[in-house]
Amino acid sequence: MKLHEYQAKALMKQYGIPVPNGGVATSPEEVGALAEQLGGKVVVKAQVHAGGRGKAGGVAVVQGASEAQQFAASLLGKNLVTHQTGPEGVPVEKVMVEEAAEIQKEIYIAIVIDGATKSAVVIASESGGMEIEEVAESSPEKILRVPVDPVLGLQPYQGRKLAYGMNLKPELIRPTAELAVNLYRLFIEKDCSLAEINPLVITEDNRVIAVDGKVNLDDDAAFRQKELRGQRDIGQEDKLEAEALDFDISYVRLDGDVGCLVNGAGLAMATMDVIQTVGAEPANFLDVGGGADEEKVKKAFSIILSDPKVKRVLINLFGGILRCDVAARGVVMACEETKANPAIVARMLGTNSSEARQILQESGLNVVLVETLKEAADKLKEVR
Ligand code: GDP
Ligand code: MN
């Protein structure tokens, strides 16, 4: 789950990380009032669950209340399209107003989970800001990485090492090192999958301040972060992904036209690879989960079919705890309910697979049954 910038910054503030003074508003008038209160130069920022706002015209530094109000009016109620959103963009319903920082330098710090070291890793760079992806590409030596021992946590010496590595002035070493340790505490205590400050700014008067803030929460820890879960903004989420999440289905929408119904995350990944080997693109990742029942399979299949891009579907199930006949009934129910009749290639092996095949064959659906993944791939080409 993603938090908005204003929510992320409120958390950061709780953890002793300096953030600019400001607030959030839902109307141009409120934005004007906030800007008036803050006085002087302010920055007005669209609050959306996507980065790249700066380049997309979602951020402006303005002088005074009326300019702030005007810019807010141009954002609110519209969709913002950035390089991280789809072409339709995401709706802007809230706008943040903050005292503008006088920027001397933009640096970068983030914490993510690193699969390779099986730990959290702090990533930092002396060149932060909107071109961070380019820095990572063209001067990877400028990106520092410090893996964190999960038992010991981020040690003060590691924070200092990062700060020195970023070539900061001596008086900035300590506040930056402390900030790194505080960000790590936040990351762990709030069960984050990402905590990022880009840019972390060195101001003209030599303070370190988080000018942007991004926090993503690990959905698997939702049960112990109830308060933060209450901050979820469904309006920012992909409708189908949000629906799937509510039914505990792992579903990620992609750009292709082949819907996939699979049980098990590993099998789902392998299935997507197979789809690509025949020159097709998956429309989604979907792991219906081991303990799914008819209802859940029906829901999963309905979600797949609700994506207008889906022209054909590959079902790849290995029946274990989820019996194949149960899955087959769910699929048939979904097609009946949605009145959809897509071309389906189905590979169902394992428990009760023969019942499943019979159910599908007698369903009147446009389905081709296969035994192997190779066959599935070949058939997929035919049902294009
Ligand atoms: P993002 O593009 O979605 O990551 O949005 P950011 O919050 O990072 O803002 C984009 C850019 O706007 C930053 O990299 C800064 O260069 C600029 N910016 C943001 N806040 C301020 C500010 O307070 N003062 C100044 N001068 N520039 C700012
Ligand atoms: Mn940013």
Side-chain angles (χ1 to χ4, degrees):
M1 178 190 127
K2 292 180 179 172
L3 291 181
H4 278 297
E5 176 190 6
Y6 75 92
Q7 297 163 331
K9 280 176 163 168
L11 261 186
M12 287 176 183
K13 196 172 170 181
Q14 275 176 34
Y15 279 82
I17 295 170
V19 298
N21 289 323
V24 68
T26 53
S27 73
E29 294 71 29
E30 277 178 89
V31 169
L34 273 171
E36 187 74 52
Q37 258 173 37
L38 292 167
K41 231 172 30 166
V42 295
V43 56
V44 178
K45 312 173 82 175
Q47 296 298 287
V48 289
H49 283 186
R53 295 165 304 167
K55 286 186 176 168
V59 176
V61 178
V62 299
Q63 191 72 48
S66 75
E67 262 188 65
Q69 181 163 342
Q70 223 176 336
F71 182 63
S74 76
L75 293 174
L76 284 161
K78 304 210 175 72
N79 277 23
L80 185 69
V81 181
T82 84
H83 69 88
Q84 290 187 8
T85 70
E88 67 286 354
V90 272
V92 184
E93 287 165 351
K94 294 194 179 93
V95 161
M96 216 182 166
V97 193
E98 290 182 326
E99 279 172 358
E102 295 297 339
I103 300 178
Q104 186 190 133
K105 194 170 185 200
E106 299 192 9
I107 63 177
Y108 178 94
I109 186 162
I111 305 178
V112 290
I113 297 291
D114 176 27
T117 56
K118 301 193 179 89
S119 69
V121 58
V122 185
I123 302 171
S125 177
E126 62 186 285
S127 3
M130 295 192 278
E131 311 299 338
I132 188 69
E133 282 94 354
E134 234 172 87
V135 174
E137 188 95 351
S138 60
S139 1
E141 74 286 354
K142 281 198 177 157
I143 309 277
L144 310 172
R145 299 169 62 88
V146 171
V148 186
D149 184 304
V151 177
L152 299 176
L154 186 69
Q155 297 289 298
Y157 84 88
Q158 293 179 301
R160 288 195 293 275
K161 187 174 153 190
L162 283 164
Y164 280 114
M166 286 191 277
N167 296 313
L168 299 177
K169 292 181 191 156
E171 65 267 34
L172 292 173
I173 299 292
R174 195 164 150 184
T176 309
E178 278 176 8
L179 185 145
V181 171
N182 286 336
L183 191 63
Y184 181 76
R185 270 200 309 128
L186 186 164
F187 181 89
I188 293 298
E189 288 177 14
K190 300 301 177 189
D191 292 312
C192 301
S193 55
L194 169 77
E196 180 187 69
I197 304 175
N198 184 37
L200 180 63
V201 154
I202 314 292
T203 61
E204 289 292 353
D205 56 354
N206 273 326
R207 288 175 302 124
V208 186
I209 176 166
V211 151
D212 192 7
K214 186 181 270 183
V215 167
N216 295 349
L217 305 174
D218 184 340
D219 291 330
D220 288 329
F223 69 97
R224 59 181 188 194
Q225 298 294 347
K226 295 231 163 62
E227 201 190 315
L228 281 176
R229 301 306 287 194
Q231 299 190 13
R232 181 173 171 197
D233 183 353
I234 295 185
Q236 295 287 313
E237 296 174 12
D238 179 280
K239 270 200 191 62
L240 295 178
E241 288 185 5
E243 210 179 317
L245 191 65
D246 287 339
F247 282 85
D248 205 22
I249 297 164
S250 304
Y251 169 82
V252 181
R253 219 168 150 178
L254 301 167
D255 295 328
D257 72 335
V258 184
C260 317
L261 178 74
V262 190
N263 64 334
L267 191 58
M269 304 275 260
T271 306
M272 288 161 57
D273 284 350
V274 166
I275 290 170
Q276 287 184 321
T277 59
V278 294
E281 294 289 335
N284 64 275
F285 167 93
L286 188 147
D287 168 14
V288 73
D293 56 11
E294 256 169 54
E295 272 304 315
K296 195 167 169 188
V297 173
K298 176 181 134 191
K299 190 74 215 176
F301 209 65
S302 301
I303 289 172
I304 293 171
L305 299 179
S306 304
D307 180 349
K309 289 194 305 289
V310 171
K311 301 285 179 271
R312 41 194 173 152
V313 183
L314 176 55
I315 299 175
N316 190 13
L317 293 174
F318 191 82
I321 299 171
L322 166 62
R323 298 187 337 242
C324 290
D325 59 321
V326 168
R329 270 190 284 273
V331 166
V332 175
M333 278 157 61
C335 290
E336 280 169 358
E337 202 172 282
T338 57
K339 308 219 173 352
N341 192 15
I344 300 174
V345 176
R347 174 175 180 250
M348 286 192 170
L349 299 180
T351 313
N352 292 1
S353 64
S354 49
E355 287 94 320
R357 299 171 75 92
Q358 197 177 350
I359 291 167
L360 290 178
Q361 253 154 2
E362 290 170 359
S363 68
L365 294 175
N366 179 10
V367 57
V368 184
L369 293 163
V370 298
E371 289 284 337
T372 67
L373 258 182
K374 169 91 175 59
E375 261 181 279
D378 292 340
K379 289 293 176 196
L380 203 58
K381 279 191 278 192
E382 290 169 25
V383 300
R384 189 183 298 259

